[in-house]
Amino acid sequence: MKTTCEIMVQKVLPAIRAELSRTMIFAHGCTQQDVADILELSRAAVSQYVSEKRGAEVGFSEETQYEIRKFASVLVNKDLSSQEKVKGMCNVCRFVQKSGWLYRNAPEAKACIICEDTDLK
């Protein structure tokens, strides 16, 4: 059994980072190093996200892609603190959970025993 949080960390978070990286580079003209600095990742990790060596296993709905693109725009255009970036990432993760993606695409997911959130369907 995998918990919701495990699936989110293993599959969804890398896919969100990949989508953010591609959006920031191709739509906003950032370099891989710019993205690495903003997302607080290594440039090598960003390269793997952009080349789809990481985070390519998950396909998001148009609504979710829109939320990710919106967050990418905020990241590029505002000087956010690390805490604000984390909060934004958490908001995108919650959006994915509430969209029902997890239960349609990872039916073995169980509610997180820490947050006890079973109302994600």
Side-chain angles (χ1 to χ4, degrees):
M1 169 193 88
K2 287 191 177 184
T3 66
T4 300
C5 292
E6 286 175 299
I7 293 169
M8 294 299 288
V9 168
Q10 292 172 352
K11 302 219 181 270
V12 178
L13 184 58
I16 292 170
R17 286 179 173 162
E19 188 69 29
L20 283 171
S21 297
R22 288 189 296 269
T23 299
M24 292 166 73
I25 290 169
F26 300 123
H28 295 282
C30 293
T31 65
Q32 287 185 6
Q33 188 60 55
D34 293 335
V35 174
D37 292 342
I38 292 168
L39 295 180
E40 301 177 26
L41 302 170
S42 69
R43 196 206 53 77
V46 172
S47 176
Q48 289 185 339
Y49 288 131
V50 173
S51 66
E52 298 184 1
K53 291 180 182 171
R54 275 192 199 177
E57 298 176 17
V58 173
F60 293 122
S61 68
E62 281 297 318
E63 295 86 11
T64 302
Q65 288 178 355
Y66 174 76
E67 289 299 315
I68 294 169
R69 283 188 232 116
K70 206 164 64 169
F71 182 47
S73 182
V74 170
L75 287 167
V76 168
N77 293 307
K78 293 187 177 181
D79 187 24
L80 301 178
S81 68
S82 291
Q83 186 176 7
E84 291 169 318
K85 292 174 189 176
V86 168
K87 193 173 188 178
M89 187 67 82
C90 287
N91 287 337
V92 173
C93 280
R94 277 191 214 96
F95 187 89
V96 171
Q97 289 175 337
K98 289 180 181 176
S99 74
W101 176 92
L102 193 61
Y103 290 97
R104 286 190 305 274
N105 296 287
E108 76 278 11
K110 303 295 181 206
C112 176
I113 58 174
I114 295 169
C115 62
E116 297 178 0
D117 193 351
T118 57
D119 192 30
L120 299 175
K121 291 183 182 180

